[in-house]
């Protein structure tokens, strides 16, 4: 039996716990914002090249993101499990988790690569223009080659995050962003011996940079003093079926949860394609802005979940309560402030991405509702991350599927592309469905987390 790290007398104050979560969340936020920032840079550069390349990138990028999110979800199960093992000082299980996670990651990566070569054949059926479709097809085939490296990248990131070693992730991400901008201009517009490839060039940039970033993280993990003792790269075992099943049992619902929300956004983008280049571009810009803001909320949730998982491994229930209180306060303040700022500058933000006046006007109109959307979206994603730390993923998955696909999607589709409600609202109809799905998910995920906290339901998996 492990001793509680904090007694009822010595438990850290909410302020100190907030500082600890922030110290973990800020590097995570920098890294995750850099990942989204890579897509934002791609969007900006492709938009400067042409509206058609922006639309083609939106199609291909959204499909790529759906596949990546599924991998992130499945392999994300390694994070809370490893954090608990680390909290309990169980080195053998940490090593086993890393090794089996890497085996699973490479296997999933090759599956996603195969899909990225099959899906382009289906894109003409979406009804977009020939030029946009060709750009999306080329983008998918090239960027799909990077999936195995991305899988390894996810597992090594989980290892570092579970041990609160996030600074190198942040520093390396700051190096990746300028390289992304430089290589985008080389491959999109063409510089020197390199011929301009338009939006397809962004795929070469992304696949190359994720490979380089993965190698850098692996070297750091092998050399770091706190991780050296694991020596997980030596004496590789065979496939541990029981551990793989445990990871998949926790990870598949996480993957489906991510697909339920983000897949909804991205599949909706494909359905918006027939509405024209302007609607597709405005949707892509608004999604990118929302993703940038949401990544900070996501990282606060991840930091809260990591610390709570470590506390659970130490059987420190007092620490768990303090971490949840501090994390919730932070997410509420951040989401409201960021939403209000975006609303205040809703006319200027889209102009950073594109010069087309129609696209700017459509995106600006959607960003007016930023405070409400960002608050509920950040709250629901924070709750999901904490529930993941409690190894509760199946009911949150059901909530996501219901909120987005049973209610939100039919509403958005009917408002956007049918006259059931009197007229077709186009892209605004889809965003009304998004708002409804986010609201319902936030309410029910919060209720689920409240019940877990009240009954100390996380103890069952400790």
């Amino acid at each position: 039996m492990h001793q509680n790290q904090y007694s009822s007398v010595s438990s850290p104050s909410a302020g100190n716990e907030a500082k600890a979560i922030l110290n973990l969340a800020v590097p995570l936020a920098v890294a995750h914002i850099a990942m989204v920032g890579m897509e934002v840079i791609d969007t900006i550069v492709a938009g400067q090249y042409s509206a058609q390349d922006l639309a083609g990138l939106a199609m291909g990028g959204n499909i790529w993101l759906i596949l990546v999110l599924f991998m992130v979800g499945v392999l994300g199960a390694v994070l809370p499990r490893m954090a608990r093992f680390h909290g309990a000082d169980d080195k053998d299980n940490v090593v086993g988790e890393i090794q089996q996670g890497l085996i699973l990651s490479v296997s999933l990566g090759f599956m996603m690569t195969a899909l990225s070569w099959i899906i382009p054949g289906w894109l003409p059926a979406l009804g977009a223009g020939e030029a946009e479709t060709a750009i999306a097809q080329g983008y998918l085939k090239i960027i799909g080659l990077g999936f195995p490296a991305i899988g390894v990248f996810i597992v090594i990131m989980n290892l570092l995050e579970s041990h609160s070693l996030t600074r190198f992730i942040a520093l390396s991400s700051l190096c990746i962003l300028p390289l992304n901008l430089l290589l985008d201009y080389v491959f999109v517009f063409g510089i020197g011996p390199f011929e301009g490839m338009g939006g397809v060039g962004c795929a070469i940039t992304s696949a190359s940079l994720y490979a380089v970033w993965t190698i850098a993280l692996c070297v750091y993990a092998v050399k770091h003093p706190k991780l050296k003792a694991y020596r997980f790269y030596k004496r590789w075992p065979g496939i541990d079926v029981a551990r793989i099943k445990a990871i998949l049992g926790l990870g598949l619902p996480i993957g489906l949860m991510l697909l339920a929300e983000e897949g909804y956004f991205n599949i909706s983008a494909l359905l918006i394609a027939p509405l024209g280049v302007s609607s597709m571009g405005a949707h892509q810009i608004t999604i990118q802005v929302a993703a940038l803001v949401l990544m900070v909320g996501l990282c606060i949730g991840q930091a809260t979940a990591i610390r709570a998982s470590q506390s659970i491994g130490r059987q420190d229930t007092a620490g768990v309560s303090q971490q949840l209180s501090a994390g919730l306060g932070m997410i509420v303040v951040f989401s409201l402030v960021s939403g209000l700022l975006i609303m205040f500058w809703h006319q200027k933000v889209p102009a950073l991405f594109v010069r087309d006046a129609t696209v700017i006007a459509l995106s600006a109109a959607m960003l007016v509702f930023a405070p409400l959307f960002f608050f509920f979206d950040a709250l629901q994603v924070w709750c999901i991350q904490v529930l993941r730390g409690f190894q509760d993923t199946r009911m949150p998955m059901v909530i996501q599927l219901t909120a987005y696909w049973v209610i939100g999607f039919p509403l958005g589709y009917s408002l956007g592309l049918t006259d059931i409600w009197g007229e077709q609202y186009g892209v605004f109809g889809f965003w009304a469905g998004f708002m409804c799905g986010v609201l319902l998910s936030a309410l029910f995920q919060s209720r689920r987390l409240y019940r877990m906290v009240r009954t100390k339901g996380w103890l069952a998996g400790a």
Side-chain angles (χ1 to χ4, degrees), residues 78-79 82-83 86 157-164 306 310:
V78 172
L79 177 56
M82 207 181 298
H86 174 56
M157 268 196 71
N158 285 342
L159 167 63
L160 298 177
E161 290 172 6
S162 67
H163 288 66
S164 301
I306 290 167
Q310 292 171 346

Side-chain angles (χ1 to χ4, degrees), residues 17 61 220 260 280 325 432:
E17 189 55 61
Y220 179 79
M280 289 175 66
S325 298

Side-chain angles (χ1 to χ4, degrees), residues 76-77 80-81 84 246 249-255 257 305 309 312 380-400 444-453 455-462:
R81 287 169 54 83
R84 286 199 185 193
L250 183 62
L252 283 173
I254 298 174
M257 271 193 290
S309 295
I312 291 168
Q380 60 101 14
V381 81
W382 180 83
C383 290
I384 289 171
Q385 294 301 312
V386 175
L387 288 168
R388 183 185 305 181
F390 293 165
Q391 298 196 16
D392 178 31
T393 59
R394 292 185 181 180
M395 184 53 68
M397 174 194 70
V398 172
I399 292 172
Q400 287 291 79
F444 286 103
Q445 301 290 7
S446 299
R447 182 175 181 271
R448 176 72 177 176
L449 179 58
Y450 172 76
R451 291 184 63 184
M452 289 283 288
V453 172
T455 61
K456 289 187 171 56
W458 66 76
L459 294 176

